[in-house]
């Protein structure tokens, strides 16, 4: 046995190699005294092997340093995080403002064109008989289009975080996440679709005092079937996008949520229009079809509940994730009530085509920001922690948009995309002769003002809401995006209706609003 100490070198998280010393030598009651070699000898005089374990705080600091959302200027610092603890999840790539904008731009434009197509579809189907005689279908439009925020974008944010922190790296983990999350969104889609139809019936009955049981069943069947099928299709697309993004080295937070929205509005609106039109045609001759459709989709609920309940990754959301999607559905339904009251007014004739666009763009941008902030916080700990990056009170607008923080940088990038993006979308609508509205300068000014104000409010609320939920032990991936996209629908529809009303009051005859 060796009679003198041979200190063992221990790799540290920051790349330095230090001799290992006992923890008591550093944290003992006599911290000011230097440890003597005799303190390291065993009872028989032999050397004692001592290893200093890496502290959690140091590991967390390194994780934060390597986090995706850190400034690219830190890339010259040492990133060697090798330890004896086993494999760590792969660290995401560092990003700059340019890389954020480059990754977000294409999905943002793709999503925008999807909302333009949805607006063109709504502009056409608003003249169908089912929309004329069962006007409550308009109330369903923002509520069901909002499902992409309630379910698909939440799914995309949840899976993006899981992919970034290494929870989808093995085939077993990947399959577990897919089956559990797909079953979960089918449960949520069916329930939210049913509740949205009830809200549409109530909001349609209160102003007019007219109630029709046939129309109520039609709304229920159309809403449940649309929500179920749309969520199934979009959920599968989301999983493919996130897996493909990871393999290509692209941050899923930047592309998954916009792509969820790119086809979400179009698919959902097309399904709602087609299903409601088909069921409306069956009312006279086969009235039993509508109740059967409702019963069929609701009878599948126990199957999806069992699958989601058996999966630990989705069990908690199955129990606790109802509040945001239900409240978000109610908020979107209020926006649908505004839409229902305006599209039938000749003074708001061009509003139908622009509503999905302004709501979709605002919802897409704020969903990207919320997903990024949530991932950033997940890399510094677990919900309920209070990392130094999380504000302890309501943030100021200056800290949200003008600080050097990486989340502030991404907020500026997303805000700067509003005007050029909407100009492209407005020109596309005009070139396709949609909206019954000529793009005059005054119309563009009012429209852009509404769009900028909407996104400005949403990005600020996102900065506060995500950190607020995190501090209260709530996972922002599951709770924040439904509220934010629903608020986007309500604010966007309200500001757009106000813009059309002001244009009508000032007599903008050249814009042909209302013709």
């Amino acid at each position: 046995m060796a009679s003198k100490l041979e200190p063992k070198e221990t790799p540290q998280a920051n790349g330095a190699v230090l001799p290992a010393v006992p923890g008591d030598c550093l944290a003992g009651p006599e911290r000011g005294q230097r440890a003597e070699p005799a303190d390291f000898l065993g009872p028989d005089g032999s050397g004692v092997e001592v290893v200093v374990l890496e502290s959690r705080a140091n590991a967390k600091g390194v994780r934060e340093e390597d986090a995706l959302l850190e400034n690219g200027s830190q890339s010259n610092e040492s990133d060697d995080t090798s330890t004896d603890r086993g494999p760590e999840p792969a660290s995401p790539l560092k990003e700059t403002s340019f890389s954020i904008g480059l990754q977000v731009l294409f999905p943002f434009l793709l999503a925008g064109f999807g909302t333009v197509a949805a607006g063109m579809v709504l502009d056409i189907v608003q003249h169908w008989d089912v929309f004329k005689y069962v006007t409550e279908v308009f109330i369903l439009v923002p509520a069901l289009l909002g499902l992409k925020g309630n379910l698909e974008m939440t799914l995309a944010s949840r899976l993006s975080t899981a992919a970034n922190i290494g929870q989808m790296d093995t085939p077993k983990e990947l399959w577990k996440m897919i089956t559990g999350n797909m079953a979960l969104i089918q449960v949520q889609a069916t329930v939210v679709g049913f509740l949205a139809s009830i809200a549409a019936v109530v909001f349609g009955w209160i102003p007019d005092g007219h109630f029709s049981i046939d129309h109520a069943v039609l709304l229920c069947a159309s809403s449940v079937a649309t929500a179920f099928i749309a969520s199934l299709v979009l959920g599968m697309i989301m999983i493919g996008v996130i897996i493909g993004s990871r393999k290509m080295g692209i941050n899923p937070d930047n592309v998954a949520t916009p792509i969820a929205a790119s086809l979400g509005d179009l698919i959902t609106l097309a399904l709602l229009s087609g299903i409601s039109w088909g069921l409306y045609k069956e009312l006279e001759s086969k009235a039993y079809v509508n109740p059967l459709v409702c019963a069929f989709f609701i009878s599948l609920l126990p199957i999806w509940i069992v699958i989601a309940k058996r999966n630990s990754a989705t069990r908690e959301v199955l129990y606790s994730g109802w509040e945001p999607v239900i409240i978000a559905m109610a908020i979107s339904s209020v926006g649908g009530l505004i839409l229902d009251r305006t599209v039938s007014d000749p003074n708001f004739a061009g509003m139908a085509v622009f509503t999905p666009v302004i709501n979709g763009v605002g919802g897409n941008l704020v969903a990207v920001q919320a997903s990024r902030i949530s991932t950033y916080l997940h890399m510094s700990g677990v919900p309920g922690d209070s990392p130094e990056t999380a504000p302890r009170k309501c943030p100021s607008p200056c800290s949200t948009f003008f600080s050097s923080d990486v989340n502030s940088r991404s907020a500026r990038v997303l805000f700067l995309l509003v005007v050029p993006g909407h100009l492209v979308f407005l020109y596309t609508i005009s070139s396709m002769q949609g909206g019954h509205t000529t793009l005059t300068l005054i119309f563009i000014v009012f429209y852009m003002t509404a769009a900028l104000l909407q996104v400005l409010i949403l990005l600020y609320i996102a900065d506060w809401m995500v950190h607020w939920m995190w501090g209260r032990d709530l996972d922002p991936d599951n709770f924040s995006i439904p509220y934010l996209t629903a608020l986007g629908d309500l604010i966007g529809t309200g500001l757009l209706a106000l813009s059309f009303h002001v244009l009508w009051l000032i007599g903008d005859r050249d814009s042909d609003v209302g013709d």
Side-chain angles (χ1 to χ4, degrees):
M1 287 291 181
S3 60
K4 67 177 181 177
L5 174 69
E6 295 181 1
K8 179 179 180 180
E9 293 183 344
T10 303
Q12 299 297 305
N14 60 2
V17 179
L18 302 175
V21 295
D24 294 340
C25 296
L26 300 176
E30 300 178 357
R31 298 180 184 179
Q33 300 179 0
R34 177 183 298 273
E36 298 297 334
D39 297 333
F40 297 93
L41 300 180
D44 57 352
S46 60
V48 179
E49 183 180 20
V50 182
V51 178
V52 175
L53 297 179
E54 179 184 3
S55 67
R56 182 177 182 272
N58 191 33
K60 181 186 295 185
V62 175
R63 289 287 303 280
E64 291 176 347
E65 182 176 305
D66 283 340
L68 161 69
L69 305 175
E70 279 295 317
N71 191 336
S73 63
Q74 297 177 348
S75 60
N76 59 344
E77 297 179 8
S78 175
D79 293 332
D80 183 9
T81 59
S82 59
T83 66
D84 295 331
R85 298 178 304 150
E88 289 284 339
S91 298
L93 301 175
K94 297 181 176 68
E95 291 178 313
T96 62
S97 296
F98 178 77
S99 65
I100 294 172
L102 191 63
Q103 291 187 22
V104 172
L105 180 61
F106 177 73
F108 167 71
L109 292 176
L110 182 62
F113 286 123
T115 60
V116 169
M120 298 297 294
V121 170
L122 183 60
D123 191 40
I124 295 172
V125 302
Q126 66 174 326
H127 304 295
W128 289 8
D129 288 344
V130 64
F131 284 85
K132 286 183 178 180
Y133 300 112
V134 190
T135 59
E136 293 85 357
V137 178
F138 281 112
I139 302 177
L140 287 177
V141 171
L144 292 183
L145 296 190
L147 279 179
K148 74 179 186 301
N150 297 347
L151 304 182
E152 278 74 36
M153 284 186 176
T154 303
L155 171 67
S157 179
R158 190 162 55 239
L159 293 182
S160 295
T161 298
N164 278 327
I165 63 178
Q167 293 182 355
M168 296 175 60
D169 291 344
T170 65
K172 183 179 180 180
E173 292 176 332
L174 179 62
W175 178 248
K176 180 180 178 181
M177 294 294 293
I178 290 175
T179 55
N181 279 280
M182 287 298 294
L184 175 65
I185 65 171
Q186 294 313 308
V187 174
Q188 292 178 324
T190 304
V191 173
V192 172
F194 179 74
L195 295 178
S197 65
I198 295 178
V201 171
V202 172
F203 286 149
W205 168 69
I206 291 176
D208 300 332
H210 175 70
F211 176 79
S212 171
I213 186 64
D214 290 337
H215 289 179
V217 177
L218 168 66
L219 290 171
C220 178
S222 302
S223 180
V224 171
T226 299
F228 182 93
I229 299 173
S231 294
L232 179 64
V233 174
L234 293 172
M236 295 173 65
I237 293 175
M238 277 305 88
I239 292 171
V241 168
I242 291 171
I243 295 174
S245 298
R246 282 298 279 177
K247 290 184 177 180
M248 296 175 62
I250 298 175
N251 179 12
D253 284 316
N254 291 337
V255 298
T257 50
I259 291 180
S262 64
L263 298 176
D265 286 344
L266 181 59
I267 290 176
T268 304
L269 188 56
L271 285 171
L272 176 63
S273 304
I275 292 173
S276 61
W277 176 80
L279 295 177
Y280 181 76
K281 292 294 184 182
E282 300 294 334
L283 269 181
E284 295 182 0
S285 59
K286 301 177 182 178
Y288 60 87
V289 172
N290 290 326
L292 284 179
V293 171
C294 285
F296 172 74
F297 286 105
I298 293 176
S299 66
L300 296 177
L301 269 177
I303 300 175
W304 309 126
I305 291 175
V306 169
I307 297 176
K309 192 175 180 180
R310 289 180 176 177
N311 195 311
S312 59
T314 56
R315 186 183 303 117
E316 181 181 355
V317 183
L318 181 65
Y319 290 129
S320 62
W322 292 103
E323 179 183 340
V325 296
I326 292 175
I327 295 178
M329 178 273 300
I331 296 173
S332 296
S333 296
V334 176
L337 182 60
I338 298 174
L339 181 63
D340 182 32
R341 295 299 166 184
T342 53
V343 293
S344 57
D345 190 336
N347 297 317
F348 298 86
M351 185 172 166
V353 71
F354 296 109
T355 300
V357 178
I358 192 171
N359 291 349
V361 169
N364 298 344
L365 293 177
V366 76
V368 171
Q369 180 71 349
S371 181
R372 291 176 60 86
I373 298 175
S374 179
T375 297
Y376 185 69
L377 293 174
H378 272 285
M379 289 184 170
S380 64
V382 296
D385 287 353
S386 297
E388 296 178 359
T389 55
R392 298 181 181 274
K393 58 182 180 179
C394 187
S396 67
C398 291
S399 64
T400 300
F401 294 99
F402 301 109
S403 71
S404 59
D405 183 73
V406 64
N407 295 322
S408 177
R409 186 187 311 123
S410 62
R412 292 193 296 269
V413 171
L414 297 173
F415 185 74
L416 292 175
L417 290 175
V418 175
V419 171
H422 272 296
L423 286 176
V424 172
F425 305 145
L426 289 178
Y427 176 77
T428 303
I429 293 173
S430 178
S431 63
M432 299 176 67
Q433 299 180 350
H436 315 288
T437 302
T438 303
L439 297 183
T440 62
L441 178 60
I442 189 171
F443 174 81
I444 294 176
V445 168
F446 273 87
Y447 180 87
M448 288 299 176
T449 301
L452 287 170
L453 186 59
Q454 176 209 31
V455 174
L456 189 72
I457 294 172
L458 290 176
L459 291 176
Y460 176 74
I461 294 176
D463 189 25
W464 164 78
M465 182 177 289
V466 172
H467 288 102
W468 180 83
M469 290 180 172
W470 182 270
R472 279 152 184 78
D473 201 17
L474 300 174
D475 190 346
D477 283 326
N478 299 326
F479 289 89
S480 64
I481 292 181
Y483 289 120
L484 293 170
T485 54
L487 287 173
D489 292 342
L490 178 59
I491 296 172
T493 305
L495 290 175
L496 188 61
L498 180 61
S499 299
F500 270 79
H501 185 66
V502 173
L503 285 171
W504 174 74
L505 288 178
I506 65 178
D508 183 26
R509 304 299 180 184
D510 293 336
S511 66
D512 296 332
V513 175
D515 293 347

